[in-house]
Amino acid sequence: MWSVLGVIRLASHLHEKNAPGLQSSLWQISAGFSIIITAIFFRTFNFNLELIINLINYASKIVIFAGALWTLFGVINLAESLRNPNAPALESSLWQIVGGFCICFAAFILNSNIVILI
């Protein structure tokens, strides 16, 4: 429900073009998925290696998704900054895009190393 509420807030903030609200909504969606993963993890509560590897695998996929959303949010901010020339906003949008790519790349590397361990 927390993630669903985050998606609803994300749609509302996209409509209003509210940048801080968009960021808050993305974090809420990520937190909802984290709650789901934690609940699944503690429900099974078997600490075998396969479960831990699967958990890290799913978590890395969620982080890749969050990084992609972060990059998309940076592209939206960049488009808004180009339409309304503002140097600090333009620079922060570019760094947000770079940060999103770095998040995706780090999660992809983590996922690849976990697959190699199996």
Side-chain angles (χ1 to χ4, degrees):
M1 291 303 293
W2 192 250
S3 294
V4 171
L5 181 60
V7 170
I8 293 169
R9 286 184 59 217
L10 179 67
S12 172
H13 292 301
L14 277 172
H15 178 71
E16 296 170 3
K17 297 180 183 171
N18 181 6
L22 287 171
Q23 183 178 6
S24 172
S25 302
L26 292 175
W27 281 114
Q28 184 172 353
I29 293 168
S30 299
F33 282 120
S34 297
I35 291 169
I36 292 169
I37 288 173
T38 304
I40 290 170
F41 180 71
F42 283 115
R43 186 176 136 224
T44 55
F45 209 64
N46 290 335
F47 287 109
N48 58 9
L49 184 61
E50 183 180 342
L51 175 68
I52 293 171
I53 289 173
N54 285 335
L55 182 65
I56 293 173
N57 186 17
Y58 291 131
S60 67
K61 289 178 183 178
I62 290 172
V63 171
I64 289 171
F65 178 71
L69 283 178
W70 188 254
T71 304
L72 179 64
F73 180 59
V75 170
I76 292 169
N77 281 339
L78 180 65
E80 185 69 28
S81 298
L82 289 174
R83 192 169 63 118
N84 241 343
N86 184 0
L90 181 68
E91 183 180 352
S92 67
S93 299
L94 291 173
W95 278 114
Q96 187 171 0
I97 293 169
V98 169
F101 278 125
C102 290
I103 290 170
C104 290
F105 182 71
F108 180 73
I109 293 297
L110 175 67
N111 190 22
S112 298
N113 287 336
I114 295 301
V115 171
I116 290 171
L117 286 176
I118 297 174

